[in-house]
Amino acid sequence: MASLCYNKGCGQRFDPEHNTNDSCLYHPGVPIFHDALKGWSCCKKRTTDFSEFLSIKGCTKGFHSKEKPPEPFSQGETSDNQKAKPAEELIIQGPKSAEKMQRERPSSDEPRQLLPVKVSRSLEQALEKLNLSSKDEALEGSCARETTAQVRVGTTCKNAACKVIYRGPESNTEVCTFHPGVPVFHEGVKYWSCCGVKTMDFSTFLEQPGCSRGQHCWAGKGDKKAVSCRQDWHQTSSQVVVTVYAKNPLPALSSVKANRTVLEVHIIFEGNKIFQAEMNLWGVIEIEKSFVSMVPTKVEITLCKTSCGSWARLELPQSRSHSCGEQEAASTKEPRAVQEEDSDDNLSWSEDEEEELEMGIPSN
């Protein structure tokens, strides 16, 4: 009895008793449809007509086969399998409430650590051009002394190259190792004017141990001019970048410290000016992944968030309202006549006043 051959491209009936190795002419490959061309993967012939594709003769000889190829799964079977398979549960965690964030928030009294500093090559070149003359030797001035009761625990010694943190009255008995001179940058070489140990690498320069011994300075030099700098900040899902615009910051004399919820900024820049700020951050950060970048025009502090998400603002409202309250309390102590005095910066006026000015009528 003749059987039907199921080899691709054959479809003939054959006698199993007379089935030899060259009886069947078929395609061992698979059909290919690409860019309107149709063909078989086992041979190179292609056509755009489907009827011609079906009539392409096989390219390989072999035995006829009476075994049917496996049928693809039908749509009904596929849907039944999908119904039988249990669905995976996907849990999406929504944002935490303000009360829960406050309960889980680490203490602001945690020890603060110095953040690593990255100095750009352009800042190194700018510092080389600075004229660190005898006028700037005021950096070697005497330390402004404070009583032990006024020094806050966690304060870093202000002497150059000393990184000791005030832990209590016992810190005053420790010996301070520092550089009394000023940093010098010349033709790529970096060194301190007091010891002259030269290096080309900025990180090595920042880590140079002090050459003099003395007492710690917790309050800093009293000859620096405290100024306010323009600040800005932006964020991604994983980082917050705080920018302080200060011209030619001095990395060797500046420091940025932080714990998981507080940022403390101490920047000394060109003109013997100092900028200081303390921020009670909105969220929680990872100190190990945070760092500071210094360029000639600004200082960028990159803070890595503990959990991805968006911060509503940079600082907590409590800290901002507290500082505003202090300013309001200070303003209430001024004389009433001074408070009612018009400021030159007040550029607002009414429409009536504008018409009077155009008509030449003097205002009261």
Side-chain angles (χ1 to χ4, degrees), residues 179-253:
H179 290 291
V182 294
V184 180
F185 308 95
H186 181 66
E187 295 181 354
V189 178
K190 307 154 190 69
Y191 61 94
W192 291 91
S193 62
C194 48
C195 55
V197 179
K198 300 180 180 180
T199 180
M200 300 289 291
D201 183 66
F202 211 98
S203 299
T204 305
F205 165 73
L206 293 177
E207 297 298 327
Q208 279 186 8
C211 59
S212 299
R213 297 165 68 88
Q215 292 183 340
H216 290 297
C217 179
W218 308 116
K221 310 297 188 293
D223 55 351
K224 296 182 181 64
K225 181 181 178 181
V227 296
S228 60
C229 296
R230 185 165 66 92
Q231 303 175 55
D232 196 4
W233 75 286
H234 65 275
Q235 63 177 319
T236 64
S237 61
S238 59
Q239 290 182 338
V240 171
V241 180
V242 181
T243 304
V244 179
Y245 295 92
K247 186 177 181 181
N248 294 331
L250 302 177
L253 303 177

Side-chain angles (χ1 to χ4, degrees), residues 81-359:
N81 293 336
Q82 290 179 350
K83 291 179 181 178
K85 186 178 179 180
E88 296 181 359
E89 185 177 3
L90 181 62
I91 301 176
I92 300 177
Q93 184 176 4
K96 298 180 180 179
S97 63
E99 293 79 7
K100 187 174 182 181
M101 290 178 61
Q102 191 65 30
R103 290 195 303 267
E104 297 177 355
R105 183 179 178 85
S107 173
S108 59
D109 298 329
E110 289 183 348
R112 301 174 185 179
Q113 302 179 22
L114 286 170
L115 300 184
V117 179
K118 299 179 180 180
V119 182
S120 67
R121 177 58 185 162
S122 57
L123 177 58
E124 294 183 23
Q125 295 173 349
L127 294 177
E128 290 179 6
K129 297 178 182 179
L130 280 180
N131 182 21
L132 296 176
S133 60
S134 58
K135 295 180 181 180
D136 296 322
E137 295 293 333
L139 291 169
E140 302 179 7
S142 59
C143 174
R145 297 297 173 188
E146 282 190 359
T147 62
T148 303
Q150 294 176 327
V151 181
R152 188 184 59 190
V153 175
T155 302
T156 305
C157 178
K158 301 303 184 293
N159 288 332
C162 181
K163 299 179 181 179
V164 175
I165 297 177
Y166 182 80
R167 303 295 183 187
E170 63 276 5
S171 299
N172 294 322
T173 60
E174 300 175 358
V175 177
C176 178
T177 304
F178 66 102
H179 290 291
V182 294
V184 180
F185 308 95
H186 181 66
E187 295 181 354
V189 178
K190 307 154 190 69
Y191 61 94
W192 291 91
S193 62
C194 48
C195 55
V197 179
K198 300 180 180 180
T199 180
M200 300 289 291
D201 183 66
F202 211 98
S203 299
T204 305
F205 165 73
L206 293 177
E207 297 298 327
Q208 279 186 8
C211 59
S212 299
R213 297 165 68 88
Q215 292 183 340
H216 290 297
C217 179
W218 308 116
K221 310 297 188 293
D223 55 351
K224 296 182 181 64
K225 181 181 178 181
V227 296
S228 60
C229 296
R230 185 165 66 92
Q231 303 175 55
D232 196 4
W233 75 286
H234 65 275
Q235 63 177 319
T236 64
S237 61
S238 59
Q239 290 182 338
V240 171
V241 180
V242 181
T243 304
V244 179
Y245 295 92
K247 186 177 181 181
N248 294 331
L250 302 177
L253 303 177
S254 303
S255 64
V256 178
K257 296 190 299 180
N259 58 26
R260 290 188 290 174
T261 57
V262 177
L263 177 66
E264 181 181 339
V265 183
H266 178 90
I267 300 174
I268 298 177
F269 55 100
E270 182 180 350
N272 205 20
K273 299 175 183 178
I274 181 173
F275 169 80
Q276 298 183 94
E278 184 172 313
M279 307 174 189
N280 200 5
L281 301 174
W282 171 268
V284 183
I285 64 172
E286 292 187 39
I287 307 173
E288 296 75 12
K289 298 181 181 180
S290 303
F291 59 90
V292 181
S293 300
M294 292 189 178
V295 297
T297 57
K298 60 185 177 181
V299 176
E300 284 191 345
I301 307 168
T302 303
L303 306 174
C304 182
K305 298 178 182 178
T306 302
S307 58
C308 294
S310 178
W311 288 11
R313 51 178 64 89
L314 178 61
E315 299 181 65
L316 281 178
Q318 293 87 340
S319 59
R320 187 180 300 273
S321 62
H322 178 69
S323 60
C324 293
E326 291 178 351
Q327 294 178 0
E328 292 175 359
S331 63
T332 55
K333 297 179 182 179
E334 298 179 1
R336 183 175 181 84
V338 176
Q339 293 182 11
E340 295 178 353
E341 190 174 301
D342 291 336
S343 171
D344 293 336
D345 296 334
N346 188 0
L347 302 180
S348 62
W349 57 82
S350 64
E351 295 180 359
D352 295 338
E353 291 176 350
E354 185 177 359
E355 293 178 357
E356 291 176 356
L357 288 174
E358 292 178 356
M359 298 175 62

Side-chain angles (χ1 to χ4, degrees), residues 72-85:
F73 293 106
S74 64
Q75 185 175 1
E77 293 177 353
T78 307
S79 59
D80 292 341
N81 293 336
Q82 290 179 350
K83 291 179 181 178
K85 186 178 179 180

